[in-house]
Amino acid sequence: MSRLAMSHERGPDRRAAAAAEGTVLSTASGVIDDLLAAFADHDRVSVGDVVDQLGATGFPMLVLILVLPALIPIPGPYGMVFGTVVAILAIQMIVGRPRPWLPAAMRRRSIQADLLVKGATRARGWLVTIENLHSPGRFKRLAGRRTTRLAAMVILPLSIMIGLPIPFGNVPPVAAIAMIAFALIFRDGLALVLAFVAAIVAAAWVAFVFWFGGELLTRIWPLLG
């Protein structure tokens, strides 16, 4: 099935049917377009609004869209918020839950709509570029249902890393999660293997930053005393 023939039909019912059939539902850039249109007139957008708008697009697409705001350089604990949401979704993927669920307190967390729209608009360009690098169904056995749970086990610690107070430390984990989500959306086994490698690199980067920060602190602390 070519990418041009992928479904861009809107509405939860169509998405639910496509998800049940196990087909590639949509491109991430197409979903971004839907979200931009839906929230254009909003002052704030909550996590629940995004989840409801996505409907039954499936866990990988939901993870991809929700992890992107963690890259927006705005004040506040947004990395922690969206990292926690992705962690909850990853746990549900591991246990095999058919539909996403989030607690009410998490659904109410919100962000200014204009900031989200600006971030999504900037992200759309490179999303299209990344989509063009994927081949739907390539080595799809490597991106099957069992591998999806394995991928969720990798996403879980990465999502925790997103919430850590490390300057620019959330970028590698977010990139790795996005790569995993793309691979699962397109059932691209080769891309999933590369995403796992990226996850290892991201974990190593976070560990290095922690180590370096600790070493720096031990050297500076005596001077401050």
Side-chain angles (χ1 to χ4, degrees):
M1 181 179 184
S2 67
R3 190 173 287 105
L4 293 176
M6 291 177 188
S7 171
H8 286 276
E9 295 171 326
R10 296 174 178 150
D13 293 338
R14 296 288 181 87
R15 286 174 174 163
E21 292 172 3
T23 58
V24 177
L25 179 63
S26 180
T27 58
S29 56
V31 173
I32 288 288
D33 290 340
D34 288 348
L35 291 176
L36 291 175
F39 301 136
D41 299 327
H42 286 54
D43 293 327
R44 298 189 67 86
V45 178
S46 69
V47 173
D49 292 333
V50 176
V51 173
D52 293 341
Q53 177 64 26
L54 290 175
T57 56
F59 281 100
M61 184 70 77
L62 187 57
V63 166
L64 175 62
I65 299 302
L66 289 177
V67 80
L68 293 179
L71 292 176
I72 301 175
I74 54 178
Y78 290 104
M80 182 178 296
V81 171
F82 288 99
T84 302
V85 173
V86 173
I88 293 174
L89 295 176
I91 293 172
Q92 295 177 46
M93 292 171 66
I94 293 171
V95 301
R97 184 178 175 85
R99 293 178 62 88
W101 172 87
L102 292 174
M106 191 61 64
R107 288 176 57 88
R108 288 194 295 268
R109 299 301 297 263
S110 64
I111 186 175
Q112 292 182 15
D114 58 340
L115 293 175
L116 187 61
V117 169
K118 289 178 182 178
T121 302
R122 289 198 302 267
R124 191 189 182 284
W126 61 262
L127 287 176
V128 173
T129 301
I130 294 174
E131 287 165 357
N132 291 332
L133 297 176
H134 285 77
S135 296
R138 179 173 52 183
F139 302 114
K140 64 180 180 180
R141 289 187 179 181
L142 296 178
R145 186 169 300 177
R146 292 182 180 179
T147 314
T148 297
R149 292 190 175 184
L150 175 60
M153 294 179 185
V154 176
I155 290 174
L156 181 57
L158 291 173
S159 63
I160 296 173
M161 295 175 195
I162 293 174
L164 297 176
I166 304 176
F168 304 104
N170 62 343
V171 175
V174 168
I177 292 175
M179 290 176 66
I180 293 172
F182 268 119
L184 294 177
I185 291 168
F186 289 109
R187 294 187 178 180
D188 188 338
L190 178 59
L192 187 60
V193 172
L194 295 177
F196 286 160
V197 174
I200 295 173
V201 173
W205 166 255
V206 172
F208 169 76
V209 171
F210 259 106
W211 172 83
F212 180 78
E215 287 291 314
L216 187 62
L217 183 61
T218 57
R219 293 177 182 273
I220 295 178
W221 188 259
L223 299 177
L224 296 177

